[in-house]
Amino acid sequence: MAKKLLILAGDGIGPEVMAQVRRIIDWMAKKRQISFDVSEGLVGGCSYDAHGVPLTDETMAEALAADAVLLGAVGGQKWDDLPFELKPERGLLRLRKDMDLFANLRPAFVFDALAEASTLKTDLVRGLDIMIVRELTGGVYFGQPRGIETLPNGERRGVNTQVYTTSEIVRVARVAFELARKRGRKMHSVEKANVMESGLLWREEVQKLRDAEYADVELQHMYADNCAMQLVRNPKQFDVIVTDNLFGDLLSDCAAMLTGSLGMLPSASLGAADAQGRRRALYEPVHGSAPDIAGKDMANPLATILSFAMMLRYSFDMMAEADLVEKAVKNVLDGGLRTADIMQPGKARVSTTVMGEAIVRELDKLAG
Ligand code: NAD
């Protein structure tokens, strides 16, 4: 049975970068006899323009029925003045919420050819390969009580609540341990157990799970402030990092920038596995819709292509094909092609389209 793949290209550069993934999907059908049952839908501003909402119930239902969803990006100035509930980003938030995507996987991987583009010294980042697993549906961004109130003395008070239950901690830690098993069997669990009870619970539950089920994985606990420092001091000490929503938000951006460009960064968000072992999953580049370069055939499509490779690996168990796509990206970069965002002296600057074509040509060579 062909796997059901829903493509939501979105706004701005979304459709431009997604067109390059379509080339790879076509290549897989033609050259590897792998075909997906692909459908396309609207999300974000383009959905608002067509239907008056950033995500329709029909598209939401299609996403729930799909084996995986691949998203481009949403947003743009045109929709900035819409009421909060109709903003493009609400479409994305609804997808994440209704699919119950609690584990956000953000790899920070440095391609050798781009090691010099990092703001850190080249030898600190060459060969870097970190996977940050961020809890995505709990913690202080969702905890109750929350709000802004006016006190009797006229002062205003803002409240947010950091809250985690054992099951929320265990399910995301389990995803991280499983990933650690497929990588270097080394994991850091990150919180602030020294000053937060929710952090202490996090630490205890992760340790308990490790002792009960994942004794083969080396586990270290680290305070979040120290982790931020270690990420820029000696990032290669890390393999898998698991952390909560707030700390994950900050640490994954920090780790991402070690790799040079937003245009290179993929991500995956996973939900619970059903009885057949199928996990709801959404794959998307980390970058936004880049309105400043939209429509100019300038965007870097590699973050979206690498998100597609993550989908092959984590949703479809197509390890050989995922390796092939990642190898093609590596070889094209080694060969000196660069989109504007990753341009370096002496390299060849190419458009979105030419980069996509080069990846397909490389796939041909590799599979030849
Ligand atoms: P952005 O990520 O769109 O762009 C930041 C900068 O990086 C821009 O200069 C842009 O040109 C560049 N850039 C981003 N992706 C690139 C790529 N693939 N290739 C080359 N250069 C790239 O962030 P922003 O400018 O803060 O936001 C623009 C819009 O995107 C806003 O409406 C915002 O709300 C939305 N946004 C959406 C998502 C998402 O869909 N997941 C994420 C972040 C921002």
Side-chain angles (χ1 to χ4, degrees):
M1 277 268 282
K3 298 284 188 190
K4 275 168 93 84
L5 166 58
L6 174 63
I7 290 185
L8 303 172
D11 307 317
I13 60 169
E16 297 169 49
V17 292
M18 198 61 80
Q20 311 316 314
V21 172
R22 290 305 295 252
R23 288 180 202 278
I24 300 178
I25 291 176
D26 292 346
W27 180 86
M28 292 213 159
K30 238 189 268 155
K31 301 287 175 75
R32 310 265 299 181
Q33 285 73 49
I34 294 172
S35 48
F36 299 99
D37 174 2
V38 181
S39 54
E40 290 197 45
L42 299 177
V43 66
C46 57
S47 173
Y48 174 79
D49 287 348
H51 304 295
V53 286
L55 186 75
T56 62
D57 292 343
E58 292 73 29
T59 306
M60 189 63 242
E62 273 192 70
L64 290 172
D67 290 301
V69 180
L70 185 64
L71 187 132
V74 298
Q77 248 179 356
K78 182 178 172 196
W79 305 284
D80 275 355
D81 295 330
L82 286 177
F84 190 66
E85 284 312 307
L86 295 176
K87 281 190 189 296
E89 291 74 10
R90 297 303 294 180
L92 183 50
L93 291 178
R94 180 172 177 202
L95 277 169
R96 288 180 183 154
K97 183 165 172 287
D98 289 9
M99 292 169 77
D100 198 13
L101 304 173
F102 61 82
N104 182 222
L105 277 52
R106 291 263 301 257
F109 181 87
V110 173
F111 287 92
D112 270 359
L114 299 181
E116 280 166 20
S118 172
T119 46
L120 290 198
K121 291 194 188 96
T122 309
D123 57 326
L124 276 186
V125 296
R126 193 180 291 284
L128 183 79
D129 181 3
I130 302 177
M131 177 68 83
I132 298 193
V133 182
R134 165 188 172 193
E135 201 288 327
L136 202 59
T137 52
V140 72
Y141 292 164
F142 296 95
Q144 294 288 345
R146 63 183 297 160
I148 299 176
E149 60 185 353
T150 304
L151 300 174
N153 67 0
E155 229 194 327
R156 296 205 303 156
R157 189 168 85 131
V159 178
N160 291 93
T161 305
Q162 167 82 336
V163 52
Y164 273 108
T165 60
T166 51
S167 61
E168 285 174 322
I169 298 167
V170 166
R171 65 181 185 171
V172 70
R174 194 181 290 287
V175 168
F177 277 120
E178 293 292 335
L179 282 168
R181 261 191 184 154
K182 290 189 183 149
R183 296 168 49 101
R185 292 180 187 265
K186 194 171 136 190
M187 182 163 122
H188 284 78
S189 172
V190 172
E191 27 58 14
K192 291 275 289 178
N194 49 342
V195 288
M196 296 168 75
E197 284 76 7
S198 58
L200 185 59
L201 183 74
W202 183 284
R203 180 174 287 221
E204 289 174 359
E205 289 302 321
V206 174
Q207 185 66 50
K208 242 196 275 174
L209 181 63
R210 185 259 173 200
D211 294 345
E213 297 180 37
Y214 297 97
D216 55 317
V217 177
E218 182 196 322
L219 171 67
Q220 284 184 52
H221 303 280
M222 191 178 264
Y223 297 139
D225 46 345
N226 185 27
C227 183
M229 189 180 76
Q230 296 297 335
L231 271 174
V232 287
R233 195 184 72 89
N234 176 19
K236 280 192 266 186
Q237 69 185 286
F238 296 107
D239 184 346
V240 173
I241 296 175
V242 63
T243 189
D244 74 12
N245 202 344
L246 173 63
F247 296 139
D249 195 358
L250 308 183
L251 295 173
S252 59
D253 269 16
C254 177
M257 276 328 290
L258 303 177
T259 68
S261 170
L262 262 179
M264 294 297 302
L265 294 165
S267 81
S269 301
L270 306 178
D274 64 17
Q276 288 74 46
R278 193 191 73 148
R279 273 184 197 280
R280 296 231 162 95
L282 174 75
Y283 298 85
E284 56 181 321
V286 167
H287 63 71
S289 57
D292 51 336
I293 56 168
K296 297 183 179 161
D297 200 19
M298 269 176 73
N300 186 344
L302 296 179
T304 310
I305 289 173
L306 292 169
S307 301
F308 174 71
M310 285 185 87
M311 188 190 82
L312 296 174
R313 188 180 304 282
Y314 295 118
S315 280
F316 300 155
D317 257 335
M318 295 179 183
M319 305 301 175
E321 282 71 24
D323 285 347
L324 204 60
V325 173
E326 285 165 1
K327 189 90 199 299
V329 170
K330 178 186 181 300
N331 289 359
V332 166
L333 291 172
D334 285 346
L337 297 196
R338 301 283 188 274
T339 43
D341 58 311
I342 52 172
M343 186 57 192
Q344 292 164 306
K347 305 296 178 192
R349 185 176 154 169
V350 297
S351 65
T352 311
T353 312
V354 170
M355 182 58 96
E357 287 167 353
I359 299 290
V360 169
R361 258 199 318 277
E362 192 58 35
L363 285 171
D364 258 339
K365 259 196 239 162
L366 286 169

